[in-house]
Protein backbone atom coordinates (compact mmCIF):
# COMPACT_ATOMS: atom_id res chain seq x y z
CA UNK A 1 0.00 0.00 0.00
CA UNK A 2 2.83 2.43 0.84
CA UNK A 3 4.44 1.94 -2.59
CA UNK A 4 1.13 2.80 -4.27
CA UNK A 5 0.82 6.02 -2.24
CA UNK A 6 4.41 6.97 -3.03
CA UNK A 7 3.74 6.36 -6.73
CA UNK A 8 0.68 8.63 -6.61
CA UNK A 9 2.60 11.38 -4.83
CA UNK A 10 5.43 11.25 -7.37
CA UNK A 11 2.96 11.15 -10.27
CA UNK A 12 1.10 14.20 -8.91
CA UNK A 13 4.36 16.11 -8.44
CA UNK A 14 5.40 15.20 -12.00
CA UNK A 15 2.09 16.39 -13.45
CA UNK A 16 2.27 19.58 -11.41
CA UNK A 17 5.84 20.20 -12.62
CA UNK A 18 4.75 19.76 -16.24
CA UNK A 19 2.00 22.36 -15.81
CA UNK A 20 4.12 24.84 -13.89
CA UNK A 21 4.78 27.90 -16.00
CA UNK A 22 7.78 29.26 -14.10
CA UNK A 23 11.04 28.37 -15.85
CA UNK A 24 13.82 26.56 -14.00
CA UNK A 25 15.91 28.96 -11.86
CA UNK A 26 18.96 28.76 -14.13
CA UNK A 27 16.80 29.79 -17.08
CA UNK A 28 14.78 32.41 -15.19
CA UNK A 29 17.75 34.16 -13.55
CA UNK A 30 20.41 33.48 -16.23
CA UNK A 31 23.74 35.19 -15.43
CA UNK A 32 22.57 36.15 -11.92
CA UNK A 33 21.93 32.49 -11.12
CA UNK A 34 25.33 31.46 -12.43
CA UNK A 35 27.14 34.17 -10.47
CA UNK A 36 25.30 33.39 -7.22
CA UNK A 37 26.01 29.67 -7.55
CA UNK A 38 29.68 30.03 -8.52
CA UNK A 39 30.43 32.79 -6.00
CA UNK A 40 29.23 30.65 -3.08
CA UNK A 41 26.90 33.34 -1.74
CA UNK A 42 25.28 30.54 0.27
CA UNK A 43 26.97 27.49 1.84
CA UNK A 44 25.21 25.17 -0.63
CA UNK A 45 23.74 25.37 -4.13
CA UNK A 46 20.21 24.59 -2.99
CA UNK A 47 19.52 27.74 -0.96
CA UNK A 48 19.32 30.21 -3.86
CA UNK A 49 17.04 27.86 -5.78
CA UNK A 50 14.68 27.91 -2.79
CA UNK A 51 14.73 31.71 -2.43
CA UNK A 52 11.55 33.61 -3.32
CA UNK A 53 11.94 36.84 -5.28
CA UNK A 54 10.60 40.00 -3.64
CA UNK A 55 9.99 41.62 -7.05
CA UNK A 56 9.22 40.58 -10.60
CA UNK A 57 12.11 38.78 -12.32
CA UNK A 58 12.42 41.53 -14.94
CA UNK A 59 12.84 44.17 -12.20
CA UNK A 60 15.49 42.16 -10.35
CA UNK A 61 17.42 41.37 -13.53
CA UNK A 62 17.38 45.02 -14.62
CA UNK A 63 18.67 46.08 -11.17
CA UNK A 64 21.34 43.35 -11.31
CA UNK A 65 22.58 44.43 -14.76
CA UNK A 66 22.87 48.03 -13.55
CA UNK A 67 24.24 47.48 -10.03
CA UNK A 68 26.86 44.86 -10.88
CA UNK A 69 28.67 47.52 -12.94
CA UNK A 70 29.15 49.71 -9.86
CA UNK A 71 32.47 49.47 -8.03
CA UNK A 72 32.10 47.62 -4.73
CA UNK A 73 29.01 45.68 -5.83
CA UNK A 74 28.15 43.15 -3.11
CA UNK A 75 26.41 40.15 -4.65
CA UNK A 76 25.28 38.70 -1.33
CA UNK A 77 23.77 42.02 -0.25
CA UNK A 78 22.03 42.27 -3.62
CA UNK A 79 20.53 38.80 -3.22
CA UNK A 80 19.41 39.46 0.36
CA UNK A 81 17.77 42.74 -0.72
CA UNK A 82 15.89 41.14 -3.63
CA UNK A 83 15.03 37.64 -2.41
CA UNK A 84 13.45 36.09 0.67
CA UNK A 85 15.85 33.42 1.92
CA UNK A 86 14.10 30.29 3.23
CA UNK A 87 14.45 29.61 6.92
CA UNK A 88 15.42 26.12 8.05
CA UNK A 89 13.69 25.31 11.33
CA UNK A 90 16.00 24.94 14.30
CA UNK A 91 15.19 21.46 15.58
CA UNK A 92 16.32 20.65 19.11
CA UNK A 93 16.63 16.99 20.01
CA UNK A 94 15.40 16.36 23.53
CA UNK A 95 17.31 13.71 25.45
CA UNK A 96 15.57 10.63 26.80
CA UNK A 97 12.65 10.49 24.35
CA UNK A 98 11.65 7.33 22.55
CA UNK A 99 11.58 7.57 18.77
CA UNK A 100 7.79 7.85 18.88
CA UNK A 101 7.92 10.66 21.44
CA UNK A 102 10.62 12.40 19.40
CA UNK A 103 8.52 12.28 16.23
CA UNK A 104 5.41 13.48 18.05
CA UNK A 105 7.47 16.33 19.50
CA UNK A 106 8.65 17.35 16.01
CA UNK A 107 5.27 16.95 14.29
CA UNK A 108 4.43 20.69 14.34
CA UNK A 109 7.93 21.62 13.16
CA UNK A 110 7.79 19.18 10.23
CA UNK A 111 4.21 19.94 9.16
CA UNK A 112 3.73 22.36 6.27
CA UNK A 113 0.46 23.99 5.27
CA UNK A 114 -0.86 23.85 1.72
CA UNK A 115 1.36 25.87 -0.59
CA UNK A 116 0.47 28.97 -2.57
CA UNK A 117 1.71 29.11 -6.13
CA UNK A 118 4.17 31.99 -5.82
CA UNK A 119 5.17 33.73 -9.01
CA UNK A 120 8.78 33.11 -10.10
CA UNK A 121 9.30 30.44 -7.45
CA UNK A 122 10.69 26.97 -8.10
CA UNK A 123 8.27 25.57 -5.49
CA UNK A 124 5.91 22.90 -6.76
CA UNK A 125 2.87 23.77 -4.64
CA UNK A 126 0.99 20.99 -2.88
CA UNK A 127 -2.75 21.48 -2.33
CA UNK A 128 -2.88 20.09 1.23
CA UNK A 129 -0.82 19.93 4.41
CA UNK A 130 2.20 17.62 4.31
CA UNK A 131 5.18 16.47 6.37
CA UNK A 132 8.82 17.16 5.44
CA UNK A 133 11.60 14.91 6.72
CA UNK A 134 13.59 17.87 8.10
CA UNK A 135 17.18 18.94 7.50
CA UNK A 136 17.70 20.24 3.95
CA UNK A 137 14.05 19.68 3.17
CA UNK A 138 11.93 22.75 3.72
Amino acid sequence: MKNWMLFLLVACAFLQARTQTTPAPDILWGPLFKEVQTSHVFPDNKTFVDCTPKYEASVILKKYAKEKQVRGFDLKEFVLNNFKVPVTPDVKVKEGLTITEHLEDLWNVLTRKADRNEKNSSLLPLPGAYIVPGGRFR
Side-chain angles (χ1 to χ4, degrees):
M1 184 64 154
K2 288 181 183 179
N3 288 339
W4 178 249
M5 291 172 61
L6 179 61
F7 172 77
L8 284 176
L9 181 61
V10 170
C12 288
F14 176 75
L15 289 173
Q16 179 70 29
R18 289 187 57 145
T19 60
Q20 186 170 356
T21 57
T22 302
D26 60 328
I27 304 298
L28 179 64
W29 300 112
L32 172 60
F33 179 84
K34 184 176 181 180
E35 187 174 354
V36 169
Q37 298 298 64
T38 58
S39 298
H40 306 289
V41 169
F42 298 108
D44 63 40
N45 286 337
K46 185 176 182 302
T47 302
F48 185 60
V49 173
D50 289 343
C51 287
T52 305
K54 294 179 181 178
Y55 313 102
E56 293 287 330
S58 60
V59 171
I60 293 173
L61 291 171
K62 185 181 276 188
K63 287 169 56 177
Y64 170 68
K66 181 180 177 183
E67 292 180 26
K68 75 176 184 174
Q69 304 302 320
V70 176
R71 179 182 280 257
F73 173 69
D74 185 329
L75 180 61
K76 184 171 187 169
E77 183 179 331
F78 178 84
V79 170
L80 296 177
N81 288 335
N82 290 280
F83 294 86
K84 291 182 267 181
V85 179
V87 177
T88 302
D90 184 23
V91 178
K92 303 278 189 229
V93 177
K94 296 178 183 173
E95 297 294 323
L97 297 178
T98 66
I99 187 68
T100 302
E101 292 167 334
H102 174 70
L103 291 174
E104 287 174 357
D105 192 49
L106 291 179
W107 199 253
N108 289 331
V109 175
L110 301 177
T111 301
R112 301 291 182 271
K113 296 178 182 172
D115 300 312
R116 292 188 330 252
N117 193 1
E118 296 192 37
K119 195 170 188 172
N120 296 321
S121 172
S122 64
L123 176 71
L124 298 176
L126 294 174
Y130 57 96
I131 303 295
V132 296
R136 285 181 62 91
F137 300 97
R138 297 184 185 99

